[in-house]
Amino acid sequence: MSSNICPECNQEWNGWWCKPCNSKRLQNDFNNWTSGNDKIDKFIQDAQLNADVNWEAIEWIPYDRFKDVKQIGKGGFGTIHYARWIDGIREWDIENQHWKRWDGEVALKKFDNFVNFNNVLNEEIKLIKKS
Ligand SMILES: [Zn+2]
């Protein structure tokens, strides 16, 4: 078993995700991305600052970072697409000082209209808090 102490800050960690170190790292990167919407930016930033594990550190992903996008469904408000997301945050590589990335399959939802955007965001927040 690996050490329970983060080699960077010498605080206790789970062996692969150090909340204080990664929170600081992600915060330093806030100026390097934007969704173009202040409310979305704030939502993502809060999630990154409070992430206890990598899958809670949600990211803004430019569309060109998705590969093999294809439509797989259609609903009342838009369409559902399959895609591969090639560089999600997995963990910090201390030795090489960069994020280790993962390659995974995701579902994208494309809305026909953006009318009820606030409701959509509130619904996502509720889902995240429930899980
Ligand atoms: Zn640390």
Side-chain angles (χ1 to χ4, degrees):
M1 194 165 150
S2 62
S3 161
N4 288 329
I5 302 292
C6 168
E8 289 193 295
C9 68
N10 296 315
Q11 293 183 66
E12 259 188 72
W13 74 338
N14 60 11
W16 56 279
W17 185 267
C18 178
K19 186 175 179 175
C21 285
N22 287 333
S23 183
K24 208 178 300 165
R25 244 188 300 276
L26 290 164
Q27 189 170 25
N28 287 338
D29 214 33
F30 281 178
N31 289 329
N32 296 328
W33 59 266
T34 180
S35 67
N37 177 299
D38 289 345
K39 193 169 174 179
I40 296 179
D41 286 356
K42 179 79 169 55
F43 176 71
I44 296 174
Q45 288 171 0
D46 284 347
Q48 291 189 345
L49 292 177
N50 294 308
D52 290 312
V53 286
N54 65 336
W55 56 85
E56 291 176 359
I58 58 174
E59 300 173 74
W60 175 255
I61 312 298
Y63 189 75
D64 65 8
R65 303 312 297 162
F66 294 113
K67 305 293 176 201
D68 306 335
V69 180
K70 54 181 176 245
Q71 186 177 325
I72 53 172
K74 195 166 168 59
F77 301 104
T79 48
I80 312 296
H81 302 255
Y82 162 93
R84 280 198 311 118
W85 175 21
I86 52 174
D87 52 9
I89 285 177
R90 199 177 65 190
E91 62 188 285
W92 182 253
D93 183 337
I94 294 169
E95 206 178 311
N96 299 306
Q97 292 291 302
H98 63 69
W99 290 108
K100 284 187 192 168
R101 298 286 181 165
W102 66 278
D103 181 330
E105 296 174 307
V106 294
L108 306 178
K109 192 169 181 179
K110 180 180 176 189
F111 293 96
D112 292 332
N113 296 298
F114 231 75
V115 277
N116 274 322
F117 171 68
N118 284 343
N119 291 343
V120 169
L121 192 56
N122 287 338
E123 201 55 42
E124 300 297 333
I125 291 169
K126 258 185 264 165
L127 286 173
I128 287 169
K129 282 184 177 158
K130 250 186 250 170
S131 63

